[in-house]
Amino acid sequence: MLKANFHTHTERCNHAGCSDQRYVDVAIEAGIETLGFSDHSPYVGFEGDYYSFYRMRPEQLSDYVESINSLREQYKGRINIHLGLEAEYYPQLFPSLLEFLKPYKIEYLILGQHFLDDDQNGLYVQRVSTEEDMKKYADQCIEALETGAFSCIAHPDIVGMDRAHPAFRREMIRILECANRLDVPVEVNVLGISGNRIYPCEEFLRLCRLCNSRVIIGVDAHLPDRFLEREAIEKAYAMIEKYGLEITDEIDTTRFLRYYEANT
Ligand SMILES: [Zn+2]
Ligand SMILES: [Zn+2]
């Protein structure tokens, strides 16, 4: 049974629903003992409708932080709550994001690289189909992890590259080796299973085996009821078991704060 989930969204990102408290209540009902919130991080410097679907707006961050921190207090002794964010790594914009996030004492970042290059004008990673773009995806994930700011990599196999292409294998191995080196668990994504998405895929799991990766199950909940979808969660366990992967239910929730200490 799932004891911990660090991949949880809130309605602030505009494509998730329900109150923050409802996620906590349903997580408890599902037997989860540690719940990390990781809504889609605001990014500063964007204009227009960029915020309308993918992420909270910068001015929503303080409400998010206050809400999660107050739930942490309210539910003390019943469930452990952590405060995180899921963020892309956009090389040009990342330094200003870090500056922006600094006062909020976010405990962890998970890397969810949904676009290449520096923003939503870059290629959506599920459209990656060439060797060149596959390498770019891997380079960007590796550069992200090497900043030392990320505690987990969400759905590394969200990238659309043909699984049978040698570049998928080659570049995914680079990502997995980097995650190993930095002691960052890689996620087996439950939303991908329940949504019949291209991830998590067998080839990715095979490569996790090859690289001795440490994996973590992430519900990627955009609705609280996702915690109760036992079939999809059990399927994730079965996939992990099939490939004999090492599983963890912990991520480093001090790494991001340490990152600031090391970089000031
Ligand atoms: Zn989302
Ligand atoms: Zn997510």
Side-chain angles (χ1 to χ4, degrees):
M1 195 162 79
L2 196 64
K3 291 272 176 244
N5 173 58
F6 290 93
H7 197 163
T8 312
H9 292 279
T10 78
E11 60 183 359
R12 294 171 190 79
C13 69
N14 303 304
H15 61 279
C18 284
S19 68
D20 302 342
Q21 184 162 12
R22 181 82 189 135
Y23 283 89
V24 179
D25 288 335
V26 178
I28 291 170
E29 189 185 334
I32 290 172
E33 294 168 3
T34 301
L35 179 67
F37 281 89
S38 57
D39 204 6
H40 294 282
S41 175
Y43 241 103
V44 283
F46 286 126
E47 302 292 337
D49 63 0
Y50 183 58
Y51 293 102
S52 64
F53 182 71
Y54 279 110
R55 54 185 67 256
M56 69 176 86
R57 293 176 171 279
E59 59 270 26
Q60 289 176 290
L61 184 62
S62 58
D63 173 66
Y64 173 70
V65 170
E66 277 165 32
S67 169
I68 306 310
N69 283 338
S70 89
L71 287 168
R72 189 208 308 262
E73 289 308 309
Q74 193 183 332
Y75 282 82
K76 213 167 227 167
R78 298 168 63 194
I79 187 168
N80 303 310
I81 293 179
H82 288 286
L83 173 66
L85 287 168
E86 175 178 10
E88 287 84 2
Y89 174 70
Y90 295 140
Q92 302 290 327
L93 301 168
F94 200 60
S96 56
L97 175 69
L98 293 170
E99 267 311 298
F100 176 71
L101 296 181
K102 198 170 178 178
Y104 295 96
K105 304 259 184 291
I106 305 290
E107 293 180 278
Y108 70 95
L109 291 188
I110 61 179
L111 176 66
Q113 193 66 38
H114 298 97
F115 295 92
L116 294 185
D117 297 314
D118 250 322
D119 60 48
Q120 80 279 20
N121 297 319
L123 186 67
Y124 181 48
V125 296
Q126 290 209 31
R127 297 212 188 93
V128 164
S129 62
T130 67
E131 210 164 330
E132 190 190 351
D133 284 337
M134 182 63 204
K135 181 173 185 307
K136 197 188 256 189
Y137 172 73
D139 285 346
Q140 207 155 339
C141 290
I142 290 167
E143 204 177 311
L145 298 182
E146 283 179 341
T147 63
F150 292 93
S151 298
C152 177
I153 172 166
H155 45 56
D157 50 346
I158 190 174
V159 67
M161 188 72 189
D162 177 3
R163 275 52 181 147
H165 195 290
F168 178 84
R169 180 185 169 90
R170 185 180 67 231
E171 300 302 330
M172 196 55 75
I173 288 174
R174 288 178 60 224
I175 296 171
L176 294 174
E177 284 180 343
C178 174
N180 273 356
R181 182 160 43 82
L182 298 167
D183 202 21
V184 169
V186 298
E187 183 195 66
V188 174
N189 186 281
V190 175
L191 179 60
I193 295 172
S194 56
N196 270 320
R197 299 185 177 179
I198 59 166
Y199 58 92
C201 69
E202 300 275 332
E203 182 59 9
F204 167 69
L205 296 164
R206 246 191 299 278
L207 295 173
C208 287
R209 171 74 253 187
L210 182 76
C211 297
N212 286 319
S213 299
R214 208 156 47 93
V215 300
I216 185 164
I217 290 177
V219 176
D220 200 353
H222 288 74
L223 282 173
D225 285 359
R226 297 293 186 188
F227 297 136
L228 300 172
E229 287 185 344
R230 285 178 193 265
E231 205 180 312
I233 293 168
E234 272 162 24
K235 205 164 165 194
Y237 276 111
M239 287 169 126
I240 290 166
E241 199 172 318
K242 178 176 171 189
Y243 290 94
L245 305 178
E246 184 192 340
I247 186 166
T248 181
D249 55 11
E250 282 175 30
I251 67 166
D252 186 348
T253 52
T254 63
R255 183 177 299 222
F256 192 43
L257 295 170
R258 290 205 318 272
Y259 172 86
Y260 282 114
E261 282 164 23
N263 288 279
T264 44

